Amino acid sequence: MTTRFALVDCSSFYASCERVFRPELEGKPVVVLSNNDGCIIARSNEAKNLGIKMGAPYFQLRDFMEKQGVAVFSSNYELYGDMSRRVTNVLLQFTPNLEVYSIDESFMDFSHLKEEDVISHSKQLRERVLQWTGIPVSVGVGPTKTLAKVANRLAKKKAADEGVMVLTNTSDIEAALEQTEVRDVWGIGRQHAARLQAIGVGNARQFRDLPADWVKKNMAVTGLRTVLELRGSSCINLEADEVPAKKNICTSRSFGQPISTLSEIEEALSTHTVRCSTKLRRQESYAGAITVFLLTNRFAKDASSDYYSSKSARLPAASNSETQLLRYANALLKQMFRKGERYVKVGVVLSELVPAEQVQLDIFSVENTEKQDKLMMTLDNLRQRFGHAAVKYAVQGEEKNSKWAMKHEHLSQCYTTRFEQLLRAR
């Protein structure tokens, strides 16, 4: 069991990724938008200070942000994912065990460190991540994951040249819990926070001191575990390096604008199906069933109807072949497509997943599975090396200028993953 946890959190990660390649934005407000440039999903501290709220619709704040000189970016997940991997590679130099908790957070095992070395080790980590990736991070250290979360939240509020908070002795932990509102405790949701505040529990220390029986009765085992973690008893260890395989995989996306033609929807669905099957092979699974769903905009003023449809099919034998999954996906789409409707979203779900080593072949199948496996491996290698758009099927069409392509009017370059978009020194 880990006896000392560190939580490393990238500061305003999406905004920081954009700033790495646009240093003139340092100290200026930056926001990043969701899919189709809908809502604000990331803000720099300067943007927060302007009162810009997380999740606020972009169109409502467009004029205000232009007047305030806010730099606006569309989500560039290809760039953010690569930068996240780079940060993780640096962190692995500072710990024998690491758990990637999210794209911008990682738990680390600091049990091997002497207590007097923890702060210097954490500061060295921050400096190296910043120097090697350009991403600022904060570090919180505690005897449990939950206390490390508390420490990290306080570390963000410290001076920029520090960014480290270590909770070791009782007095430090008491002070940290006093400063942490109960709604900010990891594992306490909005409803539980409101209920606790209603009975006079406003901070983490007051929550920690509640009777265990009351917590278990009113907040179940999860709440009790949180209390024990705040008391210093580790109940949540670092997770294994291997991520549990998903039971189903879904890929969908809203169109950039409503679509009425079957051919354009086929292009979008085919692209989603290829990406979905890539995820399937990545976790070394095969799918036994496929579902396609299609819907119109129920909130549109000119909508003739509110239409949602989905159809499923079982495969003769579990498969991870794009060619086979594409045939089924587009056949299901044709069964549910209705002329005259203005569609806004299509998606595909692969289900009844089984590990590759447990696949039962169909004796009557005419598919050459060995040949298909080699083809899929080749496609995966090409896409990993040259990008997902390097090899495409004709039915996918050209995404760049299509109606179904996602809106990203403020998209930055993929500086680290595409040769043609590398920065050039003059």
Side-chain angles (χ1 to χ4, degrees):
M1 290 286 289
T2 303
T3 57
R4 185 184 293 115
F5 296 86
L7 176 65
V8 178
D9 186 3
C10 300
S11 304
S12 303
F13 181 58
Y14 291 175
S16 294
C17 287
E18 301 291 353
R19 277 177 166 169
V20 170
F21 305 96
R22 294 280 303 277
E24 73 273 15
L25 296 177
E26 194 65 40
K28 297 182 179 180
V30 178
V31 301
V32 179
L33 306 178
S34 63
N35 290 347
N36 285 312
D37 292 347
C39 300
I40 295 167
I41 59 171
R43 308 158 297 162
S44 66
N45 287 331
E46 296 80 4
K48 295 175 185 177
N49 293 335
L50 289 175
I52 298 174
K53 302 296 184 183
M54 182 72 80
Y58 172 52
F59 75 92
Q60 292 182 354
L61 296 175
R62 189 196 310 263
D63 293 340
F64 169 77
M65 290 195 292
E66 286 181 358
K67 292 179 181 178
Q68 296 294 329
V70 179
V72 179
F73 293 92
S74 302
S75 296
N76 190 340
Y77 297 119
E78 184 175 338
L79 173 65
Y80 307 154
D82 184 67
M83 293 299 290
S84 177
R85 287 188 289 272
R86 290 167 184 259
V87 171
T88 300
N89 288 337
V90 178
L91 298 182
L92 285 169
Q93 301 179 17
F94 288 84
T95 180
N97 299 305
L98 179 143
E99 174 195 336
V100 178
Y101 181 66
S102 66
I103 193 171
D104 62 346
E105 290 181 290
S106 291
F107 283 105
M108 305 173 66
D109 185 354
F110 275 11
S111 304
H112 63 290
L113 297 175
K114 296 180 180 179
E115 186 171 334
E116 59 269 22
D117 295 334
V118 174
I119 293 179
S120 60
H121 192 74
S122 300
K123 289 184 177 181
Q124 184 185 5
L125 179 154
R126 289 188 75 239
E127 292 169 1
R128 186 171 300 179
V129 172
L130 183 62
Q131 181 181 11
W132 288 15
T133 69
I135 302 296
V137 300
S138 55
V139 184
V141 182
T144 70
K145 271 188 170 182
T146 305
L147 286 173
K149 272 275 194 178
V150 170
N152 187 279
R153 190 173 186 86
L154 296 175
K156 293 178 183 179
K157 300 178 181 179
K158 298 184 73 172
D161 60 340
E162 295 183 20
V164 174
M165 170 65 75
V166 178
L167 301 180
T168 53
N169 57 60
T170 303
S171 60
D172 289 340
I173 294 175
E174 288 291 319
L177 296 182
E178 283 280 358
Q179 297 175 55
T180 304
E181 294 186 33
V182 70
R183 63 183 180 182
D184 294 330
V185 175
W186 186 44
I188 296 182
R190 185 181 302 174
Q191 292 184 342
H192 282 315
R195 185 174 186 179
L196 290 168
Q197 289 171 339
I199 63 171
V201 177
N203 60 43
R205 185 195 60 76
Q206 292 170 329
F207 173 64
R208 179 205 62 186
D209 294 340
L210 286 174
D213 292 341
W214 185 95
V215 175
K216 185 176 181 180
K217 179 180 178 181
N218 292 276
M219 300 178 65
V221 175
T222 303
L224 178 59
R225 185 172 59 189
T226 301
V227 165
L228 294 176
E229 287 258 318
L230 292 176
R231 293 176 180 176
S233 298
S234 180
C235 304
I236 315 171
N237 203 29
L238 291 177
E239 292 185 3
D241 293 335
E242 296 184 3
V243 178
K246 295 181 179 179
K247 296 182 179 179
N248 57 66
I249 299 175
C250 174
T251 302
S252 67
R253 189 175 295 165
S254 297
F255 303 143
Q257 55 185 293
I259 295 177
S260 300
T261 60
L262 176 62
S263 60
E264 290 177 305
I265 299 176
E266 279 183 322
E267 291 180 6
L269 177 61
S270 298
T271 299
H272 297 340
T273 302
V274 170
R275 289 189 177 274
C276 211
S277 58
T278 302
K279 298 175 186 177
L280 183 70
R281 292 190 296 275
R282 191 176 297 152
Q283 72 169 36
E284 299 182 356
S285 296
Y286 282 58
I290 182 172
T291 300
V292 173
F293 60 88
L294 181 66
L295 65 154
T296 60
N297 185 1
R298 60 185 300 183
F299 302 108
K301 295 181 181 179
D302 60 345
S304 58
S305 64
D306 175 12
Y307 177 65
Y308 171 87
S309 180
S310 68
K311 287 190 177 294
S312 302
R314 292 181 63 91
L315 306 180
S319 174
N320 66 5
S321 169
E322 294 169 4
T323 57
Q324 185 176 11
L325 294 171
L326 280 170
R327 288 199 301 270
Y328 276 90
N330 287 317
L332 293 172
L333 173 64
K334 291 173 182 176
Q335 294 176 27
M336 68 179 79
F337 176 78
R338 297 196 316 199
K339 290 184 178 180
E341 297 287 356
R342 290 165 55 82
Y343 297 100
V344 297
K345 189 174 186 178
V346 70
V348 59
V349 182
L350 301 180
S351 55
E352 298 185 18
L353 307 189
V354 293
E357 65 272 12
Q358 298 179 17
V359 175
Q360 294 184 357
L361 301 179
D362 182 1
I363 193 173
F364 300 107
S365 174
V366 296
E367 297 278 354
N368 186 329
T369 55
E370 184 177 352
K371 185 177 180 180
Q372 282 291 322
D373 287 343
K374 290 182 179 179
L375 174 61
M376 293 303 109
M377 183 181 299
T378 301
L379 293 178
D380 288 340
N381 289 337
L382 287 171
R383 289 169 183 151
Q384 185 174 7
R385 185 176 180 183
F386 299 108
H388 215 276
V391 183
K392 301 172 66 176
Y393 298 86
V395 71
Q396 291 181 253
E398 185 60 43
E399 180 177 356
K400 185 175 181 181
N401 299 314
S402 62
K403 291 182 180 179
W404 58 268
M406 192 169 58
K407 285 183 182 177
H408 37 61
E409 297 175 356
H410 309 278
L411 187 66
S412 59
Q413 304 275 17
C414 294
Y415 304 98
T416 63
T417 58
R418 301 190 188 186
F419 283 113
E420 69 274 14
Q421 294 183 8
L422 288 174
L423 285 176
R424 297 180 181 180
R426 295 182 181 179

